[in-house]
Amino acid sequence: LLSSEVVGMAQSWRSQWVVLREHWIQRSAALGGAAGQLVPALLFGELGYLPKNKWLDFQLTGTIHLLVVSGLHVGFLVFMVTGLWYLLIRLEVLLFFPRSSLLFKLTPIILLLACLLYAYMAGMGLAIQRAGLMLGFAICVVYFRYHWSLLDTFLWVMLLVLLIIPLSILFHGFWFSFSGGGA
C-alpha cells in the first residue's frame, strides 16, 4: 500500500497561473443550476461539470461545438477588451487632454496580453492557439501598419503552431482548424 503526503506547493509563476485557473473554474462551477454546468464549459472548456444526458442532448442537437472553447471565444474576448480599452482611452483624452494618448500606445500590448491570458485560462488547445496567433498577428499588422496578406499570416501561424507542438500535424484537429478556420 502506497501513501503520499503533500510537503509544499510550488511557488513558480506557472503554478500560480494553474491555481488561478482552477480557482475561476471552481468559482464558475459553483454557480447555481445549469449555469454551474455550462459556464465552466463555455469559458474554460471544462466539460466535466456537464451531466451525461446534457452532453448527449448537445451532441444530438449539433450544438456541442459551442461548448468547446474555440477561436470564436478568443475573438469575442478580444472584441470586448477592445471596447473597454477604447472607453478608457476616451476617458483619458477627456480628463487629461493629451495630444497623444499613452493608453493608445499600449493597445497592442493590452490586447495581446488579454488574448494570451484567456488562451491560457481556456486550456491552450489547438484551435485556441491558432486563433490567438491569428489575432496576435492581426493586432500587430493593424497597429504597426504592416502590409501582410491574409495568406502570409495564415502560413506564419501554421508554422508557429507546428513549432510549438510539432506532432499536432498528426491530429485531425490541426487540419480541421486550419482548413475550416473555425473551432
Side-chain angles (χ1 to χ4, degrees):
L1 183 63
L2 295 174
S3 65
S4 64
E5 169 185 349
V6 176
V7 292
M9 294 291 289
Q11 297 299 321
S12 71
W13 63 271
R14 287 182 182 166
S15 64
Q16 296 301 318
W17 278 111
V18 170
V19 168
L20 181 65
R21 180 177 190 267
E22 289 301 318
H23 168 74
W24 282 104
I25 290 170
Q26 293 301 321
R27 192 168 177 171
S28 65
L31 296 171
Q37 300 165 355
L38 290 174
V39 172
L42 286 170
L43 293 181
F44 301 103
E46 288 293 325
L47 302 174
Y49 296 99
L50 279 175
K52 222 172 203 151
N53 63 339
K54 286 214 191 245
W55 175 263
L56 290 173
D57 288 344
F58 284 123
Q59 279 186 321
L60 291 174
T61 60
T63 55
I64 194 70
H65 68 280
L66 296 174
L67 299 180
V68 177
V69 177
S70 66
L72 178 65
H73 293 82
V74 177
F76 187 67
L77 171 90
V78 170
F79 177 73
M80 289 187 332
V81 170
T82 301
L84 291 172
W85 193 248
Y86 174 76
L87 292 175
L88 282 173
I89 292 172
R90 296 282 304 213
L91 186 63
E92 176 198 25
V93 170
L94 185 67
L95 293 177
F96 302 111
F97 306 109
R99 263 191 183 281
S100 66
S101 170
L102 174 65
L103 293 180
F104 180 73
K105 292 176 183 175
L106 295 175
T107 299
I109 295 168
I110 296 300
L111 294 179
L112 290 172
L113 283 175
C115 186
L116 182 65
L117 176 66
Y118 182 68
Y120 181 78
M121 294 296 257
M124 207 58 111
L126 182 62
I128 295 170
Q129 287 178 25
R130 180 194 49 80
L133 289 170
M134 285 286 217
L135 279 168
F137 270 103
I139 289 166
C140 292
V141 166
V142 168
Y143 187 78
F144 295 111
R145 295 183 177 101
Y146 291 134
H147 297 287
W148 282 52
S149 75
L150 188 58
L151 180 62
D152 289 338
T153 304
F154 184 80
L155 292 174
W156 274 105
V157 168
M158 187 182 280
L159 174 68
L160 286 174
V161 167
L162 287 172
L163 287 175
I164 294 169
I165 306 174
L167 293 179
S168 65
I169 199 167
L170 301 175
F171 298 113
H172 294 289
F174 175 84
W175 296 105
F176 286 138
S177 185
F178 281 100
S179 64

